[in-house]
Amino acid sequence: MAEQESNVIAPDAELLFLGTGTSMGVPTLGCPCDVCASTDPRNNRTRSSIVLRYDDPEGTQRTVLVDTGQEFRMQALRFGVNHVDAVLYTHGHADHVLGFDDLRPLTFGKAANMPLYADDSTADVIERIFDYTFRKKDRYPTSARVDLHRLSDEPGTTIDLFGATIERIPVLHGRHEIAGYRFGSLAYLTDMSDLPEQSYERLQGLDVVILDALRREPHPSHSHLEKSIAIAQRIGAKQTYFTHISHDLDHGPTEDELPKGIHLAYDGLRLPFRIHNSNEAAQ
């Protein structure tokens, strides 16, 4: 009997979780709780950030970073991130931007400045904090060599980045709208308290969705475990991973109670996925 041709499209990209923790990290300073004292390495959570790796049309591997938290330097050293081609920012809070200056050595000696992408409010924060990098007069001579591109917050905004189409997904973070991103068959929606109705329409057909799930109790600016499960089930991705996790959630026991197809992420977890659409991948 002839072997049937598979309709499964092989992954062409990889996501690496550099960090999966909340703004205070886990262990949290001064906290004696069981999770902060845990010996399970999955409970050691640095600030939330991811790296994507995929090939451009010429076959060169590209590395795209999402957010630069306070521990970016240590995360990059731990996981061997020695090259970054571009950075996407979700919003301007400290745990997502304060590692910006550690991009400096990764931008030196390059033919072109490293592109950064952020919406207006986030770009304003970055330019204000790191004024010495962006000011025209008396710019610090060894500042990062970067170009900051401002993204529209209109639904459907996309970036063509090294042959891949990346879509900005509106996300609610308390009373403010921030940026999530869709990368082909995967979406990354950290620091989410809820999703605008229009964003659900842009999250159809996902293999993987990554959502905020801070703790068990409700929080004013982050989704909690029960709510994140409900949002995941409505989105309907094949697999869901929770990130931006506080010390309220012990990895092993929490993982055991989650519905099928829903997991807690952890620092160092790698996920294969498709960054190009099905038609592109099948050609």
Side-chain angles (χ1 to χ4, degrees):
M1 182 176 176
E3 187 174 320
Q4 291 184 341
E5 183 178 349
S6 174
N7 291 322
V8 177
I9 298 172
D12 57 7
E14 180 187 74
L15 177 148
L16 166 65
F17 287 92
L18 294 181
T20 56
T22 183
S23 59
M24 292 186 290
V26 182
T28 301
L29 287 176
C31 181
C33 79
D34 289 345
V35 174
C36 287
S38 171
T39 58
D40 184 342
R42 298 171 300 180
N43 282 330
N44 193 325
R45 303 169 181 137
T46 58
R47 274 69 167 214
S48 292
S49 175
I50 59 170
V51 156
L52 311 171
R53 292 191 173 104
Y54 60 94
D55 289 348
D56 69 14
E58 286 72 46
T60 300
Q61 187 181 79
R62 298 295 186 171
T63 299
V64 176
L65 175 66
V66 181
D67 291 333
T68 51
Q70 297 97 319
E71 291 136 329
F72 168 62
R73 175 178 172 274
M74 299 308 298
Q75 293 168 335
L77 290 170
R78 179 184 180 189
F79 297 117
V81 180
N82 300 312
H83 176 85
V84 173
D85 292 293
V87 184
L88 305 170
Y89 284 97
T90 59
H91 63 299
H93 286 174
D95 53 320
H96 295 265
V97 303
L98 285 187
F100 164 85
D101 210 50
D102 288 324
L103 292 171
R104 290 191 303 146
L106 300 180
T107 69
F108 296 159
K110 304 296 183 182
N113 289 352
M114 180 187 294
L116 315 177
Y117 298 88
D119 55 32
D120 280 337
S121 61
T122 305
D124 288 344
V125 169
I126 294 171
E127 288 182 336
R128 183 171 68 251
I129 296 174
F130 302 100
D131 166 74
Y132 55 87
T133 298
F134 296 97
R135 63 191 178 211
K136 302 299 182 184
K137 184 178 180 181
D138 194 27
R139 179 181 178 275
Y140 190 66
T142 57
S143 293
R145 274 56 169 170
V146 296
D147 290 327
L148 183 54
H149 302 275
R150 291 174 176 255
L151 291 177
S152 168
D153 59 5
E154 290 296 315
T157 294
T158 60
I159 313 161
D160 185 1
L161 203 55
F162 314 117
T165 300
I166 297 170
E167 181 177 359
R168 182 188 184 276
I169 304 293
V171 171
L172 295 178
H173 184 23
R175 293 177 296 173
H176 304 286
E177 182 186 295
I178 65 170
Y181 293 100
R182 178 169 182 162
F183 312 94
S185 70
L186 179 147
Y188 181 69
L189 311 174
T190 188
D191 286 53
M192 168 210 71
S193 58
D194 212 336
L195 293 178
E197 196 63 30
Q198 62 191 358
S199 291
Y200 283 101
E201 301 170 7
R202 315 202 74 85
L203 296 170
Q204 301 302 305
L206 290 173
D207 290 335
V208 180
V209 66
I210 299 160
L211 302 174
D212 186 321
L214 183 73
R215 62 188 193 186
R216 294 184 184 277
E217 297 300 318
H219 187 277
S221 57
H222 293 271
S223 184
H224 61 285
L225 191 63
E226 182 180 3
K227 183 175 184 178
S228 295
I229 291 170
I231 290 173
Q233 291 172 335
R234 181 177 176 190
I235 291 172
K238 295 176 182 176
Q239 297 289 324
T240 298
Y241 288 84
F242 292 150
T243 192
H244 206 281
I245 307 164
S246 78
H247 59 172
D248 288 1
L249 301 182
D250 191 342
H251 189 99
T254 306
E255 180 80 9
D256 290 343
E257 71 183 64
L258 292 175
K260 183 179 179 180
I262 300 180
H263 312 274
L264 294 187
Y266 56 86
D267 294 22
L269 175 65
R270 298 173 187 268
L271 301 177
F273 70 100
R274 295 177 294 112
I275 200 167
H276 300 293
N277 68 39
S278 300
N279 292 332
E280 291 172 336
Q283 288 176 355

